[in-house]
Amino acid sequence: MRTLLFALAAVLACAAPAAAADGAKLFALQCKSCHGAKSTPMGPTLSGVFGAKIAGRSDYAYSKGLKAKTGTWSAENLDAYLAKPAGFAPGTRMLTAVPDAASRAALVDYVRTLK
Ligand code: HEC
């Protein structure tokens, strides 16, 4: 239950439009609760995710929806996933969307730097 509430709070926090398009700040506010330096049940780590195979980590049990996607993460498909996760990958367990395009662009730029 606690985990569920935490997840809900994180999802709600992500629905608020961001004032400043600072990728690192946005990531800390909207993504870090589920995406840390190591994969956890809350989400896979995003280190090295840019250019990597979609749903390709061996230390995380992805949903069938995300596993059904082929290819690697690029600026284009990351933008699409963040804009509408279930639109990009029906059945994905990630519910967090980032409606603001400038915020998405800043986040994608930041995710690109995660080694
Ligand atoms: C409430 C938890 C949660 C939050 C907040 C969240 N995510 Fe996720 N994310 C997930 C989960 C869970 C998955 C795995 C989804 C699946 O298996 O369908 C995921 C998957 C991903 C993936 C695919 C990883 C891979 O290895 O293919 C990316 C990229 C991603 N998230 C980016 C973000 C970004 C950027 C943010 C911040 C805007 C964010 N996520 C916020 C839970 C979250």
Side-chain angles (χ1 to χ4, degrees), residues 38-94:
K38 293 217 166 102
S39 297
T40 69
M42 290 299 285
T45 179
L46 297 183
S47 68
V49 77
F50 195 90
K53 196 173 170 297
I54 296 174
R57 300 192 62 90
S58 56
D59 60 0
Y60 185 79
Y62 295 93
S63 65
K64 283 202 180 98
L66 199 59
K67 274 200 295 204
K69 302 299 286 187
T70 54
T72 55
W73 285 115
S74 65
E76 289 73 30
N77 58 19
L78 268 173
D79 183 74
Y81 187 43
L82 292 177
K84 206 175 175 204
F88 175 79
T92 183
R93 268 199 303 275
M94 182 164 115

Side-chain angles (χ1 to χ4, degrees), residues 10-20 23-35 82 94 96-100 103-104 107:
V11 168
L12 291 176
C14 293
K25 263 193 212 149
L26 289 174
F27 190 87
L29 287 171
Q30 305 192 348
C31 318
K32 224 176 180 169
S33 53
C34 297
H35 296 293
L82 292 177
M94 182 164 115
T96 309
V98 183
D100 179 58
S103 301
R104 285 200 305 277
L107 280 164

